[in-house]
Amino acid sequence: KVSLVHGAHRTGRRTDAAMARWRAYGLGQFIHWGLYSIPGGEWDGKTYNGAAEWIRSWDGITKSAYDSLIYHFNPVKFDATAWAAAAQQMGAKYVTITTKHHDGFCLWPSKYTSYTVASSPYKKDLIKPLVDAYNKAGIDVILYFSIMDWSNPDWRYDIKTKDDSIAFERFKKFTRNQLLELLERYPTTKGLWFDGTWDNAWVKQAAFADELETEMRKMRPGLIIGSRFRADENGKRHFDTNGQLMGDYEQGWERKIPNTITEVHGNDWDCVMTVPENQWGYNAAWKGHIKTTDELLEMLAKCVSLDGNFVLNFGPKGDGSIRKEELSLAREIGDWMAVNQEAIYGCEYAGLEPQNWGYFTKKTGTDKIYMLVFNVPVSGALRVKLPVQTSISKAYRLGQPAQTFVPEEIQASESFIHLKTTSEKHPFVIVLETAKKTENPKVKYEKAK
Ligand SMILES: C[C@@H]1N[C@@H](C(=O)NCc2ccccc2)[C@H](O)[C@@H]1O
């Protein structure tokens, strides 16, 4: 272990109520919305092959042409209540919304730059109606904020000269001002999801970022900040020089999911996921592999089974409407959650040996185990290996408690649940009520005679 001033300030998981609430979410919604949503991955009849929200960095578009999009941003179809209703029906317990992406366009009327919605035909703050509508729907809000800001002349990829460092000092002040402004303006928000923090210039700001994180946490007790915000004084990100997680949860699972519990290192984490292979902002094309509802449900189940939250991305159009494909995914996920949410919300890693038929989750604080079945074996027999001295007292189909199962015990703490049919077309859940096998005190007494 080396001594660090700006490494992790806490080892192990946070144990406070605010973090326990975050840990229980299970399913979240990500929203990427901004000027990039207007072109939607196309410009002058040409198609940009990267992620649509990065189109400003493409050589097929001039920076000034992109920046002029601000004069065309007028989302007349924007309806925060409708967005929140779709998220609520889907079963999302929190939403992460872009306040400012890498292009620097602010969806709130920031005092510290003119590159905001206030300078667009729309004029009005977009973040407040979203925060209010989602909170009203019982959904918590986390604010996405990109440190990297291509619109700000003081931003630097690296600091090479005296001028760079003078400019970047201004940029640091600007960044702090905007973050404190967001916390002031939206006091009900629960956390900040930082992005665009990989550049050398920011990675060199260990002391500044550490102090800023402390200041924000003081300003908003319970505030949740992930591992992507700051680096330690050796430039180490996500995990400091001693391998300790920075921030409150691991934020490295972008478009990927861990396969084993060991990869999670006992930390909280979220997985942020796109529906297409790699499109966060609205992309007109909707091409390549588009994940199906069952694929997304399996990702959700896998994340919760490994102690993580699954945050599914939506990319509203420039006019403020949500594309029909995303609305139908939200509805289908919601239909499944309406029956099976008990196996997702407030659940965690069950501590059982993974089986090929799907995923185990356990209701936090109980011995209730859920079998989330995605791959029905041709045998129809689902193997379950419980901790020693644990037995199954009840087994039934979630949502259909009359559909019970009598486990076939094949050896100590190992059973088969035999399905009545192997022709299920969609994922389903079996609940196992388990109990610790206790020695029968009477027998012990007789032995004592
Ligand atoms: C959440 C996503 N993060 C942004 C991004 O630039 N990802 C690329 C990236 C992914 C992982 C490490 C560094 C950079 C994408 O534009 C989305 O906002």
Coordinates of all heavy atoms in Angstrom, one line a residue, residues 182-216:
L182 N -25.8 23.4 -10.7 CA -26.7 22.2 -10.9 C -27.2 21.8 -9.5 O -28.4 21.5 -9.4 CB -26.0 21.1 -11.6 CG -25.8 21.3 -13.1 CD1 -24.9 20.2 -13.7 CD2 -27.2 21.3 -13.9
L183 N -26.3 21.7 -8.5 CA -26.8 21.2 -7.2 C -27.7 22.2 -6.6 O -28.7 21.8 -5.9 CB -25.6 20.9 -6.3 CG -24.7 19.8 -6.7 CD1 -23.5 19.6 -5.8 CD2 -25.5 18.5 -6.8
E184 N -27.5 23.5 -6.8 CA -28.3 24.5 -6.3 C -29.7 24.5 -6.9 O -30.7 24.5 -6.3 CB -27.8 25.9 -6.6 CG -26.6 26.4 -5.7 CD -27.1 26.8 -4.3 OE1 -28.3 27.2 -4.1 OE2 -26.3 26.6 -3.4
R185 N -29.7 24.3 -8.3 CA -31.0 24.4 -9.0 C -31.9 23.2 -8.9 O -33.1 23.3 -9.0 CB -30.7 24.7 -10.5 CG -30.1 26.0 -10.8 CD -29.8 26.1 -12.4 NE -31.1 26.0 -13.1 CZ -31.8 27.1 -13.5 NH1 -31.4 28.3 -13.1 NH2 -32.9 26.9 -14.2
Y186 N -31.3 22.0 -8.6 CA -32.0 20.8 -8.6 C -31.8 20.0 -7.4 O -31.1 19.0 -7.4 CB -31.7 20.0 -9.9 CG -31.8 20.9 -11.1 CD1 -30.7 21.2 -11.9 CD2 -33.0 21.4 -11.5 CE1 -30.7 22.1 -13.0 CE2 -33.1 22.3 -12.6 CZ -31.9 22.6 -13.3 OH -32.0 23.5 -14.4
P187 N -32.3 20.5 -6.2 CA -31.9 20.0 -4.9 C -32.5 18.5 -4.7 O -32.0 17.9 -3.8 CB -32.6 20.9 -3.9 CG -33.6 21.7 -4.7 CD -33.2 21.7 -6.1
T188 N -33.5 18.1 -5.5 CA -34.0 16.7 -5.2 C -33.2 15.7 -5.9 O -33.4 14.5 -5.8 CB -35.5 16.6 -5.7 OG1 -35.5 16.7 -7.1 CG2 -36.3 17.7 -5.1
T189 N -32.2 16.1 -6.8 CA -31.4 15.0 -7.5 C -30.5 14.3 -6.5 O -30.0 14.8 -5.6 CB -30.6 15.7 -8.6 OG1 -29.8 16.7 -8.1 CG2 -31.6 16.3 -9.7
K190 N -30.3 13.0 -6.9 CA -29.6 12.1 -5.9 C -28.1 11.9 -6.2 O -27.4 11.3 -5.4 CB -30.3 10.7 -6.0 CG -31.8 10.7 -5.7 CD -32.1 11.1 -4.2 CE -33.5 11.0 -3.9 NZ -33.8 11.4 -2.5
G191 N -27.7 12.3 -7.4 CA -26.3 12.0 -7.7 C -25.9 12.7 -9.0 O -26.7 13.3 -9.7
L192 N -24.6 12.5 -9.3 CA -24.0 13.0 -10.5 C -23.3 11.9 -11.2 O -22.5 11.1 -10.6 CB -23.0 14.1 -10.2 CG -23.6 15.4 -9.7 CD1 -22.5 16.3 -9.0 CD2 -24.3 16.2 -10.7
W193 N -23.6 11.7 -12.5 CA -22.9 10.7 -13.3 C -21.9 11.4 -14.2 O -22.3 12.0 -15.2 CB -24.0 9.9 -14.2 CG -23.6 8.6 -14.6 CD1 -23.9 7.4 -13.9 CD2 -22.8 8.2 -15.7 NE1 -23.4 6.3 -14.6 CE2 -22.7 6.7 -15.7 CE3 -22.2 8.8 -16.8 CZ2 -22.1 6.0 -16.7 CZ3 -21.5 8.1 -17.7 CH2 -21.4 6.7 -17.7
F194 N -20.6 11.3 -13.9 CA -19.6 12.1 -14.6 C -19.1 11.3 -15.8 O -19.0 10.0 -15.8 CB -18.5 12.4 -13.7 CG -18.8 13.6 -12.8 CD1 -19.2 13.3 -11.5 CD2 -18.8 14.9 -13.2 CE1 -19.5 14.3 -10.6 CE2 -19.1 15.9 -12.4 CZ -19.5 15.6 -11.0
D195 N -18.8 12.0 -16.9 CA -18.2 11.4 -18.1 C -17.2 12.3 -18.7 O -17.0 13.5 -18.1 CB -19.4 11.2 -19.1 CG -19.1 10.1 -20.1 OD1 -18.0 9.5 -20.0 OD2 -19.9 9.9 -21.0
G196 N -16.5 11.9 -19.7 CA -15.5 12.8 -20.3 C -14.4 13.2 -19.4 O -14.0 14.4 -19.3
T197 N -13.9 12.2 -18.6 CA -12.9 12.5 -17.6 C -11.6 11.8 -17.8 O -10.8 11.6 -16.9 CB -13.4 12.1 -16.2 OG1 -13.7 10.7 -16.3 CG2 -14.6 12.9 -15.8
W198 N -11.4 11.3 -19.1 CA -10.2 10.5 -19.4 C -9.1 11.3 -19.9 O -8.0 10.8 -20.0 CB -10.6 9.4 -20.4 CG -11.4 9.9 -21.5 CD1 -10.9 10.5 -22.6 CD2 -12.9 9.9 -21.7 NE1 -12.0 10.9 -23.5 CE2 -13.2 10.5 -22.9 CE3 -13.9 9.3 -20.9 CZ2 -14.5 10.6 -23.4 CZ3 -15.2 9.5 -21.4 CH2 -15.5 10.1 -22.6
D199 N -9.3 12.6 -20.3 CA -8.2 13.4 -20.9 C -7.1 13.7 -19.9 O -7.4 13.9 -18.7 CB -8.8 14.7 -21.5 CG -9.7 14.3 -22.6 OD1 -9.4 13.4 -23.5 OD2 -10.8 14.9 -22.7
N200 N -5.9 13.9 -20.4 CA -4.7 14.1 -19.6 C -4.9 15.3 -18.7 O -4.6 15.4 -17.5 CB -3.5 14.3 -20.4 CG -3.1 13.0 -21.1 OD1 -3.6 12.0 -20.8 ND2 -2.3 13.1 -22.2
A201 N -5.5 16.4 -19.3 CA -5.6 17.7 -18.5 C -6.4 17.4 -17.2 O -6.0 17.9 -16.2 CB -6.3 18.7 -19.4
W202 N -7.6 16.7 -17.3 CA -8.4 16.5 -16.2 C -7.7 15.5 -15.2 O -7.7 15.7 -14.0 CB -9.8 16.0 -16.5 CG -10.7 15.8 -15.4 CD1 -11.0 14.6 -14.8 CD2 -11.3 16.8 -14.5 NE1 -11.8 14.8 -13.7 CE2 -12.0 16.2 -13.5 CE3 -11.3 18.2 -14.6 CZ2 -12.7 16.8 -12.5 CZ3 -12.0 18.9 -13.6 CH2 -12.7 18.2 -12.6
V203 N -7.1 14.5 -15.8 CA -6.5 13.4 -15.0 C -5.4 14.0 -14.1 O -5.1 13.5 -13.0 CB -5.9 12.3 -15.9 CG1 -5.0 11.4 -15.1 CG2 -7.1 11.5 -16.5
K204 N -4.8 15.1 -14.5 CA -3.8 15.8 -13.7 C -4.3 16.6 -12.6 O -3.6 17.2 -11.8 CB -2.9 16.7 -14.7 CG -2.0 15.9 -15.6 CD -1.3 16.8 -16.6 CE -0.4 16.0 -17.5 NZ 0.0 16.8 -18.7
Q205 N -5.7 16.7 -12.5 CA -6.3 17.6 -11.5 C -6.7 16.8 -10.2 O -7.8 17.1 -9.7 CB -7.5 18.3 -12.1 CG -7.2 19.0 -13.4 CD -6.0 20.0 -13.3 OE1 -5.8 20.6 -12.3 NE2 -5.2 20.1 -14.4
A206 N -5.9 15.9 -9.8 CA -6.3 15.1 -8.6 C -6.7 15.9 -7.4 O -7.8 15.7 -6.9 CB -5.2 14.1 -8.3
A207 N -5.9 16.9 -7.0 CA -6.2 17.7 -5.8 C -7.5 18.5 -6.0 O -8.4 18.5 -5.2 CB -5.0 18.6 -5.5
F208 N -7.6 19.2 -7.2 CA -8.8 20.0 -7.4 C -10.0 19.2 -7.4 O -11.0 19.5 -6.8 CB -8.6 20.7 -8.8 CG -9.8 21.4 -9.3 CD1 -10.2 22.7 -8.7 CD2 -10.7 20.9 -10.2 CE1 -11.3 23.3 -9.1 CE2 -11.8 21.5 -10.6 CZ -12.2 22.8 -10.1
A209 N -10.0 18.0 -8.2 CA -11.2 17.2 -8.3 C -11.6 16.6 -6.9 O -12.8 16.5 -6.6 CB -11.0 16.1 -9.3
D210 N -10.6 16.2 -6.1 CA -10.8 15.7 -4.8 C -11.5 16.7 -3.9 O -12.5 16.4 -3.3 CB -9.5 15.2 -4.2 CG -9.7 14.3 -3.0 OD1 -10.8 13.9 -2.7 OD2 -8.7 14.1 -2.3
E211 N -11.0 17.9 -3.9 CA -11.6 19.0 -3.1 C -13.0 19.3 -3.6 O -13.9 19.5 -2.8 CB -10.7 20.3 -3.2 CG -9.5 20.2 -2.2 CD -8.3 20.9 -2.8 OE1 -8.5 22.0 -3.4 OE2 -7.2 20.4 -2.6
L212 N -13.2 19.3 -4.9 CA -14.5 19.6 -5.5 C -15.5 18.5 -5.1 O -16.6 18.8 -4.7 CB -14.4 19.7 -7.0 CG -15.7 20.0 -7.8 CD1 -16.4 21.2 -7.2 CD2 -15.4 20.2 -9.3
E213 N -15.0 17.3 -5.1 CA -15.9 16.2 -4.7 C -16.4 16.3 -3.3 O -17.5 16.2 -2.9 CB -15.3 14.8 -5.0 CG -16.2 13.6 -4.6 CD -15.6 12.3 -4.9 OE1 -15.1 12.0 -6.0 OE2 -15.7 11.4 -4.0
T214 N -15.4 16.7 -2.4 CA -15.7 16.9 -1.0 C -16.7 18.0 -0.8 O -17.6 17.9 -0.1 CB -14.4 17.2 -0.2 OG1 -13.5 16.0 -0.4 CG2 -14.6 17.4 1.2
E215 N -16.4 19.1 -1.6 CA -17.3 20.3 -1.5 C -18.7 19.9 -1.9 O -19.7 20.3 -1.3 CB -16.8 21.4 -2.4 CG -17.6 22.7 -2.3 CD -17.0 23.8 -3.2 OE1 -16.2 23.5 -4.2 OE2 -17.4 24.9 -3.0
M216 N -18.9 19.2 -3.0 CA -20.2 18.8 -3.5 C -20.9 17.9 -2.5 O -22.1 18.0 -2.2 CB -20.1 18.1 -4.8 CG -19.7 19.1 -6.0 SD -19.9 18.3 -7.6 CE -18.5 17.1 -7.6

